[in-house]
Amino acid sequence: MADTDRSPFTPGRPRGPELRYGNRPTMKDVAARAGVGLKTVSRVVNSEPGVTPDTERRVQEAIESLGFRRNDSARVLRKGRTASIGLVLEDLADPFYGALSRAVEEVARAHGTLLINGSSAEDPDREQELALALCARRVDGLIVIPAGDDHRYLEPEIRAGIATVFVDRPAGRIDADTVLSDSFGGARAGVAHLIAHGHRRIGFIGDRPRIHTAVERLRGYRTAMADEGLAVSDSWVSLGTTAPERVRAAMLEMLTGPEPVTAVFAGNNRVTVTVVRVLAEQPRRVALVGFDDIELADLLGITVIAQDSAALGRTAAEQLFRRLDGVEEKPVRVALRTMLIPRGSGEIPPS
Amino acid sequence: MADTDRSPFTPGRPRGPELRYGNRPTMKDVAARAGVGLKTVSRVVNSEPGVTPDTERRVQEAIESLGFRRNDSARVLRKGRTASIGLVLEDLADPFYGALSRAVEEVARAHGTLLINGSSAEDPDREQELALALCARRVDGLIVIPAGDDHRYLEPEIRAGIATVFVDRPAGRIDADTVLSDSFGGARAGVAHLIAHGHRRIGFIGDRPRIHTAVERLRGYRTAMADEGLAVSDSWVSLGTTAPERVRAAMLEMLTGPEPVTAVFAGNNRVTVTVVRVLAEQPRRVALVGFDDIELADLLGITVIAQDSAALGRTAAEQLFRRLDGVEEKPVRVALRTMLIPRGSGEIPPS
DNA sequence: CATTCACCTGACAACGTTGTCCAGGCTCTA
DNA sequence: TAGAGCCTGGACAACGTTGTCAGGTGAATG
């Protein structure tokens, strides 16, 4: 036989996982060290009244010397509130969403709440996976920038009390609080601006038709054209991914087709960026108005329909906390104004 | 007396909080509904082997009909691992950090881990508050973009087993894994580039001297100048916040001082943006190289020292997971290369 | 037919915290 | 000096989950 019993497998005592948080001290350890009861430590940690200054000092010392930090998981389990909210967005690397997320974070912070955000990468399945993961963590509330168009999967969660606000795009097939920019009005104003500068053949390049804002902006485009009695050729309209190659191809086609456009309306910031690049290579000057403002657009002279992403985030977060504070009302739907900022590219005359 | 006893206050039965997650069903409820034991539900939820297909189906039905979702807080408490990591950065609205965060998120996702990130807003106290809050949530690991220069407050946490990696800037007063860009080498190369194009009076505008990268880039600047035997006038160097007003003032002073500069090196993306704006207003053409690439910089012809923020994030995250997988080695220090991208502004001759 | 064995299933404790309740010591008043 | 009332501190259960272990059933084997 090998050697003596090195693994004292005591059947009566169930063993936990190998390493628990690297064996961090618990309140029990602190209590033992300070020579007080468990609950007294809890009181000190939570600044509850009813502890003598002397006792408090002893406990504090024990906390310091052991490097104790309260385990919030246990706290959450007991208290039923996590003091955290979730944000599901499309892509944190997109400055538009970065600013939105940051605004939400600030509101959350003001409410003593932690923000957890994740990127859906425009994939509806991933959106769902992420949203449900956040629900499993029992976030108190959820802000969602939809990638998909069916959010019935959230119904049990909402019924179970997870406050939910949709932002930038409306929820699909459920009724919920929503905060949007006025995509329709913004696009309509932008296209009207181009028409006012003499354009008759105007192109539109937008995001995929599954995306609500893309559809709304297209509707704004069509309405503005119809307002002035202008016909729209199919070859002037392109909806699809915002991948540079596709946008580039669409743009080139509009420029070289049988009825070449003299102006373009770009459906969002990514489209605008690519369009600007393509137009820069063209000998002919083509007018451009883009949805969303872009950094340095002032220097490049790009006329845009600006939406305030920070305001979107802030408004959504405030509505969420209103719900968390117990306000009961029918789902609200807020639309934020957009602003046309003329910088040159939208004022180029037809050629 | 008012009315009959409407509030059956049963002293023997301690009552929990008013509403717990809006009274969500638990495994116990599912078990009761499906007519099975608690542990069997747990097995089904975790796809553990050893459950008859028939039993599994019954449990699944109960889960569906009750809208059950596992409470991850309880799970974490029991298992000791949260399957989440924390990222403390400066400002999510800055595209540089947005891209970095996104890269970390992708790596985390590949490891089945959730990312929680928060902005320190360049405030050391807030950085600490945030990092410790994440530790209290028992994240498995932590990635920190330092705002402060003293991270000894993390020592107990690291000892307790929270893997920690610093990125973009080194840790202060503790020894830990670090992933940086080669700020010194990048700045040196950028300034050398300007010198090679004939400039002798070159300005430097950087971030606050508390920021390590700012200091390193300044050192690169000074070294490049010294390499060519060029003296540096104090009036050419400005370190401070990246607030547009300050940068603007500094830039104007360099342009109008007794020894006006013919070129500038901008210490980071925010500085570059402001400098570009100021230079656009000047009659004289002034050369510019900026640290960090910027969207649309190609169209504006801005020469930059590009660092790959996504690679920074990815590398840091991979190192973190290496630690979480139990790799024990001395703290590593990785420096990623930077790349000079000439686009015009850096090739303007002195005037 | 008895026995072994594999496989399923469920009872129970434990994770670390907080809410409830009670005990004991103290002060203050009659 | 006794009684009432207040303040501090601690024992204990419970939050919802998972690891351990034992019981129970049915099939396969001798």
Side-chain angles (χ1 to χ4, degrees), chain A:
Chain A
M1 195 189 290
D3 51 10
T4 58
D5 190 5
R6 287 201 183 286
S7 89
F9 188 81
T10 330
R13 179 187 162 278
R15 298 162 315 154
E18 274 305 303
L19 262 185
R20 306 190 56 78
Y21 315 119
N23 286 325
R24 295 201 70 141
T26 70
M27 283 196 180
K28 209 164 149 189
D29 301 322
V30 174
R33 174 99 174 204
V36 302
L38 182 54
K39 184 63 217 229
T40 301
V41 177
S42 173
R43 276 196 266 267
V44 171
V45 169
N46 294 291
S47 317
E48 284 174 27
V51 180
T52 337
D54 181 56
T55 309
E56 172 162 5
R57 194 182 41 71
R58 286 215 318 284
V59 171
Q60 283 293 5
E61 279 173 13
I63 289 177
E64 301 273 320
S65 74
L66 290 174
F68 166 79
R69 188 163 309 285
R70 179 178 63 197
N71 185 328
D72 271 353
S73 293
R75 171 167 226 253
V76 159
L77 178 59
R78 186 62 233 251
K79 301 206 76 156
R81 283 259 159 163
T82 57
S84 62
I85 63 173
L87 169 62
V88 179
L89 40 70
E90 193 217 304
D91 182 0
L92 216 37
D94 183 328
F96 180 82
Y97 297 113
L100 193 156
S101 167
R102 186 60 205 285
V104 172
E105 184 181 8
E106 288 303 319
V107 176
R109 184 176 141 85
H111 287 259
T113 296
L114 196 66
L115 173 67
I116 307 180
N117 49 22
S119 303
S120 69
E122 285 287 8
D123 177 349
D125 292 339
R126 203 164 146 181
E127 172 207 301
Q128 174 170 348
E129 182 193 330
L130 204 50
L132 290 180
L134 292 169
C135 290
R137 305 235 159 185
R138 296 292 189 273
V139 291
D140 299 329
L142 204 53
I143 299 181
V144 180
I145 298 174
D149 48 12
D150 186 349
H151 296 92
R152 282 175 298 177
Y153 70 87
L154 277 175
E155 270 176 344
E157 314 298 329
I158 293 173
R159 252 201 317 278
I162 297 189
T164 306
V165 176
F166 290 80
V167 67
D168 189 45
R169 305 165 187 168
R173 314 187 69 167
I174 66 172
D175 197 21
D177 289 337
T178 311
V179 178
L180 307 170
S181 277
D182 178 12
S183 282
F184 170 76
R188 184 180 186 176
V191 174
H193 184 75
L194 289 168
I195 297 173
H197 280 81
H199 295 276
R200 295 294 171 266
R201 299 194 306 279
I202 303 174
F204 178 94
I205 306 183
D207 209 332
R208 277 161 300 174
R210 184 156 43 74
I211 314 276
H212 178 265
T213 49
V215 176
E216 280 294 286
R217 291 170 197 176
L218 176 58
R219 196 163 67 80
Y221 161 82
R222 289 198 187 278
T223 303
M225 295 294 273
D227 284 344
E228 302 292 330
L230 298 174
V232 173
S233 158
D234 280 352
S235 66
W236 296 345
V237 173
S238 162
L239 288 188
T241 75
T242 56
E245 315 83 61
R246 189 201 65 90
V247 172
R248 167 172 292 269
M251 184 72 256
L252 289 175
E253 200 180 318
M254 288 179 200
L255 289 172
T256 57
E259 299 174 286
V261 300
T262 63
V264 202
F265 188 86
N268 69 27
N269 55 353
R270 280 159 310 195
V271 173
T272 305
V273 167
T274 303
V275 167
V276 168
R277 291 216 168 89
V278 175
L279 292 185
E281 302 161 2
Q282 302 295 316
R284 176 157 66 92
R285 293 199 75 202
V286 175
L288 164 69
V289 173
F291 210 108
D292 296 335
D293 203 358
I294 305 179
E295 175 134 59
L296 295 180
D298 54 337
L299 288 176
L300 287 162
I302 306 172
T303 297
V304 298
I305 305 294
Q307 56 174 329
D308 188 341
S309 58
L312 276 176
R314 198 169 343 123
T315 309
E318 279 161 1
Q319 175 63 20
L320 185 69
F321 280 104
R322 201 169 300 129
R323 293 291 185 191
L324 289 179
D325 288 346
V327 174
E328 304 261 351
E329 51 184 359
K330 281 194 309 183
V332 299
R333 200 180 174 101
V334 180
L336 299 184
R337 294 182 143 282
T338 57
M339 189 172 47
L340 189 151
I341 307 178
R343 294 199 181 109
S345 76
E347 295 72 45
I348 296 172
S351 65

